[in-house]
Amino acid sequence: CFLSLQKREISNFDYLMYLNTLAGRSYNDYMQYPVFPWVLADYHSETLNLTNPHTFRDLSKPMGAQTLERKHKFIQRFNEVEKTEDLSAQCHYCTHYSSAIIVASYLVRMEPFTQTFCSLQGGSFDVADRMFHSVKSTWESASRDNMSDVRELIPEFFYLPEFLTNANHFELGCMQDGTVLGDVQLPPWADGDPHKFILLHRQALESDYVSAHLHCWIDLIFGHKQHGSAAVEAVNTYHPYFYGDKTDFNNIKDPLIKSTILGFISNFGQIPKQV
């Protein structure tokens, strides 16, 4: 299948969906929803230049290592685990790049995801400033600004313009700066048009640059840099509870501990099966 990808016999989108399926990811499970990469780093230009390498995100690095400063902070966190603590909990990230709440937050303007999001939030929408309201600010949070945010994307970013509009006129709240939440704010190069955003974003996914570097991201998410020494070197280790297939629930006798771990996985996500 990878040979077919190199020959451009299948699209990058189809290949990623194929890998997600192999790894046990499914639209039917918010906790193991298909995961797709951020492919762009330019959400400020008036026009999108897909021939410029600087337009793109570094696909060889996880979201936590997109800037040197942030990468060093996560390495410091990894190294500062007290020797008296259980070293199995040593990790770079205590949050995950894909979870039920991340999926529902992206799709909150569409049912049934609206009700799912509210249910996960205890029955109501989140504080407006924390809601998904801008592609640019979400990229900046996940790649640079927020040490608790390393989220990736979902497939809908590459084919479904409807999730970017508040067609149902939900009252999503008002941000501290007075902005009333409605449609998702798009990059200047999209000209305020969700269809144009999806078109250009899909073109970016299928671009020569992404085709040449996508295997690096696949190694991080689905491949040999998922765990172990290769993951440590790549600044790509997550809390051990996220590695669900490596947790032997049969040996956990305490029902409180078991339910705590299951709740942790439910809330914060799970690493895909290695393929």
Side-chain angles (χ1 to χ4, degrees):
C1 189
F2 184 63
L3 187 59
S4 296
L5 180 69
Q6 287 182 318
K7 292 181 178 179
R8 308 304 282 270
E9 292 174 355
I10 63 172
S11 67
N12 291 338
F13 182 91
D14 287 340
Y15 186 63
L16 287 172
M17 285 303 302
Y18 174 73
L19 286 177
N20 272 283
T21 302
L22 280 182
R25 314 293 286 191
S26 168
Y27 283 118
N28 297 320
D29 186 348
Y30 293 166
M31 290 184 290
Q32 296 194 72
Y33 207 76
V35 56
F36 268 58
W38 289 94
V39 294
L40 294 174
D42 183 353
Y43 298 96
H44 57 270
S45 296
E46 294 294 328
T47 57
L48 191 62
N49 184 357
L50 296 181
T51 64
N52 183 356
H54 296 293
T55 297
F56 297 92
R57 165 257 182 102
D58 187 341
L59 288 161
S60 70
K61 296 180 174 64
M63 288 303 292
Q66 289 298 304
T67 70
L68 198 57
E69 180 183 5
R70 198 172 192 230
K71 174 184 176 181
H72 287 157
K73 286 181 179 178
F74 281 120
I75 291 174
Q76 184 178 14
R77 171 190 285 177
F78 182 91
N79 292 332
E80 283 180 351
V81 174
E82 295 292 336
K83 300 303 181 184
T84 56
E85 293 182 11
D86 181 4
L87 286 181
S88 66
Q90 190 176 37
C91 63
H92 295 107
Y93 313 116
C94 297
T95 54
H96 197 251
Y97 50 77
S98 177
S99 66
I101 193 65
I102 289 173
V103 172
S105 69
Y106 281 144
L107 300 174
V108 69
R109 291 163 177 80
M110 297 175 60
E111 292 287 15
F113 302 98
T114 310
Q115 293 304 314
T116 300
F117 181 83
C118 289
S119 176
L120 291 169
Q121 284 293 127
S124 63
F125 291 119
D126 198 0
V127 175
D129 287 82
R130 291 201 297 259
M131 296 278 286
F132 172 52
H133 65 276
S134 161
V135 178
K136 178 176 180 286
S137 66
T138 301
W139 159 256
E140 290 172 347
S141 172
S143 67
R144 186 187 70 197
D145 296 340
N146 187 347
M147 292 290 285
S148 297
D149 184 3
V150 292
R151 80 186 89 171
E152 293 278 8
L153 298 183
I154 54 176
E156 285 82 352
F157 272 84
F158 301 94
Y159 69 82
L160 189 69
E162 287 78 9
F163 88 96
L164 298 166
T165 63
N166 188 22
N168 292 312
H169 305 292
F170 293 119
E171 294 184 3
L172 303 173
C174 183
M175 298 174 64
Q176 288 185 351
D177 65 3
T179 302
V180 177
L181 262 61
D183 296 346
V184 175
Q185 296 172 13
L186 302 176
W189 45 259
D191 295 327
D193 181 351
H195 290 84
K196 184 173 182 180
F197 172 83
I198 294 295
L199 174 65
L200 292 175
H201 205 215
R202 183 63 172 265
Q203 287 178 358
L205 178 65
E206 304 299 339
S207 67
D208 290 341
Y209 180 91
V210 172
S211 296
H213 297 87
L214 187 58
H215 67 282
C216 299
W217 183 84
I218 290 169
D219 286 343
L220 294 169
I221 306 299
F222 300 105
H224 73 286
K225 293 183 180 179
Q226 248 193 16
H227 54 79
S229 59
V232 175
E233 186 176 344
V235 194
N236 192 45
T237 66
Y238 297 81
H239 192 285
Y241 289 169
F242 295 148
Y243 300 86
D245 59 338
K246 293 179 172 50
T247 303
D248 188 355
F249 290 102
N250 293 325
N251 287 331
I252 302 175
K253 305 303 181 185
D254 190 323
L256 181 60
I257 294 176
K258 183 180 290 188
S259 66
T260 299
I261 295 174
L262 288 172
F264 193 95
I265 294 171
S266 174
N267 287 324
F268 294 105
Q270 197 167 354
I271 301 291
K273 293 177 183 175
Q274 188 172 8
V275 296

